[in-house]
Amino acid sequence: MAADEAPAGPDRAPASAGWRGRRLPVSALPGLALFVVLAVCGLVGLTGGIADGDGALIVGGAFLLLLFGSLVAFLVVASSRGSGTGTTLVPSPGGGDRAVRFGYSTVTYVLFGAVVVTCAAALLGLAVALGVGGGVLSRVIAVVLAGAALLMGWYVLVMVRHAPGGLLLSPAGIAHAGLTTFYSVPWVAVHAVEARRLGTTVLVVKAEPSPQSVLRRYTGRFDTGELRFLPFLVVRTYWLAADREAVLSALAFYLARPELRGELATPEAVRRIAEGRTPA
């Protein structure tokens, strides 16, 4: 396991330097270039299939274009810093007070969902083809592929059901509503917030185990991986619509000023963050 992928614990954050440059590393560029080429191939195949009336070419081209076009768009969006603060006041997940939410980007939701749905449709189509025209082995493989497609479909349904995700700051603590998970920690358990790199840029809320912490896994172990750093709360910044610096600044500001955390249940916190009045 690489150094920046080592599990974190109470005495260790992900071993990586702070933020530098864009939200995705330079190492992602070759993959991005490959996806662009494959998306172009899909477009060419789709266009040629329509012109020739070739159904197989139309389906194959459409699949390549949708899958790799969505991946390209996702990586492009994920590589940006985010814009603005994107804060809203929402009901606190624990009930009672309200909370300030840094919401997930709708665009990243749509693009990620498109990738998963496209893969599920391709697996299901392949399963049908093998099951109809193949022998015993082909049918066994078809069942496995159909099961994987159904699992992906279930994952997307759970993701949509619990949308929108986001990072929530309330007078009681910090919570992360992920794609298919929820994790919250009380302020009393938090001792630092940091900018880190974990393949891409992440926010790390360094927290101790607490009986007041809440963890929900809506898809069991089938999640996006942030929970492997428990009890730390980790958020990949490319999911957030807000500028990562604004989010980090707000976290550090309210961690250092417990006397002001009560305003996180009021519009004053939204105004303070939007106006940049959260100096480190």
Side-chain angles (χ1 to χ4, degrees):
M1 181 178 291
D4 65 348
E5 295 179 344
D11 301 317
R12 182 183 181 193
S16 178
W19 289 336
R20 293 188 300 271
R22 302 175 73 81
R23 294 200 286 192
L24 282 182
V26 175
S27 59
L29 294 180
L32 178 61
L34 175 62
F35 295 156
V36 169
V37 171
L38 292 172
V40 171
C41 290
L43 178 60
V44 172
L46 177 61
T47 303
I50 293 174
D52 299 337
D54 188 332
L57 192 55
I58 291 174
V59 172
F63 167 73
L64 288 177
L65 179 60
L66 182 56
L67 175 61
F68 293 105
S70 297
L71 283 169
V72 169
F74 182 86
L75 289 175
V76 169
V77 171
S79 68
S80 68
R81 285 178 53 124
S83 59
T85 55
T87 54
T88 55
L89 202 61
V90 300
S92 177
D97 291 329
R98 292 186 292 178
V100 172
R101 181 172 71 90
F102 293 95
Y104 271 21
S105 166
T106 301
V107 175
T108 56
Y109 257 112
V110 172
L111 294 174
F112 179 76
V115 170
V116 179
V117 169
T118 302
C119 290
L123 289 175
L124 190 59
L126 184 57
V128 171
L130 288 174
V132 170
V136 175
L137 180 59
S138 294
R139 291 175 182 175
V140 171
I141 295 174
V143 170
V144 173
L145 294 178
L150 291 175
L151 182 63
M152 289 182 178
W154 167 70
Y155 184 91
V156 171
L157 288 176
V158 174
M159 181 183 78
V160 171
R161 178 185 175 189
H162 293 282
L167 183 67
L168 299 97
L169 281 62
S170 73
I174 305 169
H176 177 213
L179 296 181
T180 59
T181 60
F182 177 85
Y183 179 48
S184 69
V185 294
W187 286 108
V188 69
V190 179
H191 55 87
V193 294
E194 295 181 355
R196 291 279 179 168
R197 273 202 173 273
L198 187 63
T200 182
T201 60
V202 297
L203 286 162
V204 178
V205 177
K206 301 175 72 174
E208 302 294 337
S210 169
Q212 296 173 279
S213 296
V214 176
L215 173 62
R216 301 188 186 107
R217 298 176 184 263
Y218 303 118
T219 54
R221 299 287 174 174
F222 191 44
D223 57 48
T224 53
E226 289 94 342
L227 295 183
R228 73 181 187 271
F229 299 105
L230 294 174
F232 291 173
L233 186 154
V234 175
V235 183
R236 290 184 174 90
T237 61
Y238 59 70
W239 292 115
L240 299 173
D243 187 314
R244 62 190 184 186
E245 300 293 350
V247 181
L248 178 62
S249 177
L251 281 168
F253 179 84
Y254 286 105
L255 177 61
R257 294 167 177 81
E259 72 280 3
L260 294 179
R261 291 174 193 161
E263 72 181 29
L264 287 168
T266 71
E268 173 56 30
V270 175
R271 287 193 293 269
R272 182 190 294 277
I273 295 169
E275 294 168 4
R277 293 185 287 116
T278 55

